[in-house]
Amino acid sequence: MSHIRLFVACCLSWLSVCGSMPSSAQAMEYPYAVLPSPQRDGDPEKGRDYLLNGGYIGAGIPLPLWRALHAFAPPPDRLIDRPGVDPSVPIDMNQYQSARGIEVVSGVNCLGCHATEFRGEYVIGLGNASRDWTRGPQPMNQLGAIGNVLLAGNEAAREELRLFIEGASSLAGTTDAPVRGANPAFRFEEVTAAFRDPETLERVDEPVFAIGPDVTWSDVPPLWNLKKKASLYYNGMGRGDFARLIQQIGMVLIEDADEAASIEPGMRDVMAYLKTLEPPAFPESIDGDLAQAGAAIFNSRCATCHGTYGDYETYPNLIIPLQTIGTDPVYAETLYESGLIPWFNRSWFAQDGVAEAVPELGYVAPPLDGVWATAPYFHNGSVPTLAGVLDSQVRPDRWTRSFKTDESAYDLANVGWVHSAVSEEDAGAADTQPGVFDMRRRGFGNGGHTFADDLSNRDRRALLEYLKTL
């Protein structure tokens, strides 16, 4: 039943020039700064509980059926204690009472992508760069047949299961990731939204917009930087109330806008909790003199886009145009043309101007807090180490790694995943090697961001040492 778990899923001078946030209809000259929007308050403690136990996913698998399916399976590791949750429920799924009053186990929750084991610890807020979406969502016929037998006589539970299967099956065959670690969140969102009325969020039989051929694969960014960001996504697209934006995770399995509205207060609490997250500290000693030299380089070469750190922090939220940054354009170009954008801006999520989708032909230079822990790098995860970010000549065109998450798998000297270059001869056809990251695949190019290429080797080492301190 493993496929069940797979379905869901410095600058101040520039600010004075750029002015206020544009609407989706305005043409702006790049780079410009996205200005922050007011965020609603929430309770961090309640938010953590809702994140781990809340019903924000929507419909789920009735608990008696779940227990029967997992009666003889070894229980998953208890990465976080969740009192009252059945021992068979993994950390990336929740157990809760659904909107229809049925005790259920969810599809993949927020932690399925935004938390991971890393160097022996479970870190909430760190993007999961090891999750395997290469076998995407599958049809749920078998689950339905078993459920009809085991839930015979319990019509309410059977209806809950029907809603779960209807939502989960809508994603079947929509995507198989070409490489492990690539995240298909926006493909799931696009496919789901295409079969929802934007205002009521009820399912419809015919698509309300055409689904494009390209998939916006991406790496998963860390959540501890949300407190600094004025837009949620790599291309500056998600603006306004972040609680409303992150609630889109429920799109696959919620029933309608009424259910979405009932979930929203809990998501405001989740956002309040996410703002309390801090990145892990670099675990080994840092050369103070070298890092100090690197700080001077960073402040003169990098801070305009990525902000400043330490006692006087700034973050500009700058969108850098594709022709300047030079990184793979497919993510930005695909979402810029997607029918998901006008759908969102007409939908319940954007109701009363609470949130807005404003895609750009560029990428937001991200905050770098905890950057040492967030490999692989770039929005598509194409560069395995920070050393490669600072020197484009050492980036492997094809590479693989063990996908282990213990200390042996992480290279603290070059800052990133221990990896092996793969020759063209050994790689074979790109679409048959899901363990190999191949920059020839569409959307996975590793070029661009060559701003440190002209530094000396010593200056790059100093800059790398400084980045470990953030």
Side-chain angles (χ1 to χ4, degrees):
M1 306 304 294
S2 62
H3 64 277
I4 297 173
R5 297 174 57 195
L6 288 175
F7 79 86
V8 247
C10 234
C11 46
L12 295 179
S13 60
W14 288 26
L15 285 171
S16 65
V17 172
C18 297
S20 61
M21 186 183 84
S23 73
S24 54
Q26 285 181 283
M28 294 296 296
E29 292 187 5
Y30 295 112
Y32 77 82
V34 181
L35 299 186
S37 302
Q39 301 294 317
R40 291 176 285 180
D41 293 332
D43 185 318
E45 185 174 349
K46 289 181 180 179
R48 185 180 188 277
D49 179 71
Y50 197 67
L51 181 69
L52 297 175
N53 302 293
Y56 51 86
I57 299 299
I61 301 169
L63 185 60
L65 174 58
W66 174 270
R67 283 173 170 162
L69 293 171
H70 292 81
F72 303 105
D77 292 338
R78 301 295 279 186
L79 300 173
I80 294 178
D81 186 35
R82 295 193 290 177
V85 175
D86 192 278
S88 65
V89 179
I91 191 63
D92 62 357
M93 305 179 85
N94 284 1
Q95 178 183 322
Y96 52 89
Q97 189 175 80
S98 76
R100 290 151 294 280
I102 304 299
E103 192 75 8
V104 300
V105 176
S106 74
V108 178
N109 64 19
C110 291
L111 301 187
C113 296
H114 292 284
T116 187
E117 291 185 81
F118 178 66
R119 291 179 49 82
E121 296 184 18
Y122 187 69
V123 183
I124 293 178
L126 178 60
N128 189 333
S130 299
R131 192 173 188 106
D132 191 352
W133 294 99
T134 57
R135 185 172 184 263
Q138 303 297 309
M140 294 284 171
N141 299 336
Q142 183 182 12
L143 179 63
I146 295 171
N148 284 335
V149 173
L150 294 181
L151 300 174
N154 189 339
E155 291 305 314
R158 291 177 68 177
E159 173 63 10
E160 183 74 33
L161 180 62
R162 184 192 69 78
L163 290 171
F164 174 86
I165 291 174
E166 182 181 39
S169 297
S170 69
L171 297 179
T174 59
T175 182
D176 289 335
V179 62
R180 182 174 174 181
N183 190 280
F186 270 114
R187 174 56 96 185
F188 292 165
E189 175 78 5
E190 189 175 40
V191 171
T192 302
F195 287 91
R196 296 261 187 178
D197 178 275
E199 296 178 0
T200 68
L201 300 186
E202 293 175 349
R203 290 191 178 90
V204 296
D205 293 331
E206 299 296 328
V208 295
F209 63 84
I211 301 170
D214 278 331
V215 180
T216 49
W217 307 107
S218 67
D219 185 42
V220 183
L223 294 180
W224 53 72
N225 282 332
L226 287 182
K227 62 176 73 74
K228 288 188 171 183
K229 296 171 72 172
S231 58
L232 198 58
Y233 307 117
Y234 288 113
N235 63 339
M237 186 170 70
R239 306 185 194 181
D241 185 70
F242 281 8
R244 186 69 68 87
L245 289 162
I246 66 173
Q247 193 176 330
Q248 293 173 87
I249 189 174
M251 274 286 293
V252 178
L253 292 171
I254 61 170
E255 196 166 4
D256 52 29
D258 288 339
E259 185 172 358
S262 71
I263 292 168
E264 185 176 21
M267 299 311 285
R268 292 202 295 267
D269 292 335
V270 169
M271 267 307 307
Y273 167 66
L274 296 180
K275 289 179 181 178
T276 71
L277 297 179
E278 296 293 339
F282 190 76
E284 294 190 354
S285 61
I286 294 174
D287 185 324
D289 291 339
L290 193 60
Q292 186 175 6
I297 298 169
F298 182 90
N299 287 329
S300 66
R301 301 285 295 260
C302 312
T304 298
C305 293
H306 290 288
T308 59
Y309 301 82
D311 294 335
Y312 304 100
E313 293 199 352
T314 63
Y315 176 61
N317 278 287
L318 284 181
I319 294 176
I320 310 303
L322 294 176
Q323 61 267 31
T324 299
I325 189 66
T327 50
D328 193 286
V330 170
Y331 179 104
E333 291 174 346
T334 300
L335 285 172
Y336 195 80
E337 300 293 337
S338 174
L340 175 63
I341 307 308
W343 181 94
F344 182 91
N345 289 330
R346 291 175 50 214
S347 76
W348 175 87
F349 295 99
Q351 194 176 68
D352 301 322
V354 170
E356 186 179 15
V358 188
E360 302 290 352
L361 291 175
Y363 297 115
V364 180
L368 299 180
D369 305 78
V371 67
W372 76 269
T374 62
Y377 298 99
F378 292 173
H379 69 275
N380 58 6
S382 59
V383 181
T385 66
L386 267 182
V389 172
L390 302 181
D391 185 355
S392 66
Q393 299 303 308
V394 302
R395 300 171 191 168
D397 288 341
R398 289 168 296 277
W399 54 277
T400 189
R401 62 186 178 95
S402 68
F403 291 98
K404 295 179 180 178
T405 56
D406 59 21
E407 294 183 5
S408 68
Y410 214 71
D411 180 352
L412 293 178
N414 292 301
V415 189
W417 293 109
V418 173
H419 62 282
S420 301
V422 177
S423 69
E424 185 170 359
E425 184 178 75
D426 290 340
D431 60 359
T432 64
Q433 298 292 326
V436 174
F437 202 107
D438 192 331
M439 57 87 65
R440 297 173 300 180
R441 291 187 174 111
R442 181 165 170 77
F444 290 94
N446 66 358
H449 198 281
T450 57
F451 307 119
D453 275 13
D454 63 336
L455 293 176
S456 68
N457 288 335
R458 175 173 174 76
D459 283 350
R460 275 196 292 268
R461 287 197 302 273
L463 183 54
L464 186 63
E465 199 73 3
Y466 172 68
L467 293 174
K468 297 176 184 178
T469 72
L470 301 184

